[in-house]
Amino acid sequence: SLFSDAELRTGAAETRTGQQLLSNVAQGAQGLFSAGMQVAAMATQKLSEQLPPADGSGSALEQLQRRAAQAEQERDTIKKKASEFVAAKKAEWASQVAAKDARIAALEAELKQQVAGRDARIAALEARVAELEAAAPSAPASAAAPPPA
């Protein structure tokens, strides 16, 4: 069957929608990463505010330094997970967009084939009409009119 312009536009719209979703996923992951960075910065700030006065004991300071290092490690883990998430979503959407593009190309090829077949059929019918017109005896217009009833 022939595909309507609306069906072809729908395929193109689906491709644009897939690209928009990919962009939205990337923006969401970036927002997640940004939020993780803010949490790590706030944790580091709170740790530095909780530093005890310098009284010579290194154990409290060492403990806070360890906590700061853990917060930085957690930040790096969040950053890594956000990057992995973005990469996975990009790959997923790229795959879906490629599948949609392949479907559109197949539909376009099928449509072209159908149009070519119809054009060939029309040409054959036109040739047959010309052949029949050439073979038909030329009759006056009154002879071609139906008999009066």
Side-chain angles (χ1 to χ4, degrees):
S1 68
L2 280 176
F3 296 98
S4 70
D5 286 341
E7 290 171 318
L8 291 175
R9 282 192 300 269
T10 300
E14 288 175 353
T15 299
R16 283 191 301 277
T17 301
Q19 291 168 343
Q20 289 168 348
L21 289 174
L22 179 59
S23 175
N24 290 344
V25 166
Q27 289 174 357
Q30 185 64 31
L32 177 65
F33 172 71
S34 192
M37 292 295 288
Q38 288 175 352
V39 166
M42 287 176 14
T44 302
Q45 181 181 1
K46 285 184 180 183
L47 286 175
S48 64
E49 290 171 357
Q50 294 176 0
L51 283 175
D55 61 358
S57 73
S59 64
L61 178 60
E62 289 172 2
Q63 183 181 14
L64 290 176
Q65 287 174 338
R66 279 194 302 272
R67 290 166 90 192
Q70 287 173 341
E72 289 174 355
Q73 186 177 17
E74 193 172 326
R75 177 201 63 201
D76 293 343
T77 301
I78 290 170
K79 181 179 178 180
K80 180 181 176 186
K81 286 183 179 183
S83 296
E84 290 170 355
F85 176 80
V86 168
K89 287 301 176 182
K90 279 184 180 180
E92 178 184 333
W93 285 108
S95 171
Q96 291 179 3
V97 167
K100 297 285 185 184
D101 287 346
R103 172 121 170 90
I104 288 169
L107 292 173
E108 286 174 344
E110 184 178 340
L111 179 62
K112 286 178 184 177
Q113 184 180 13
Q114 290 175 357
V115 168
R118 297 248 164 92
D119 287 347
R121 176 75 175 138
I122 288 170
L125 290 173
E126 287 174 344
R128 179 70 177 139
V129 166
E131 180 184 311
L132 291 173
E133 286 176 346
S138 292
S142 61

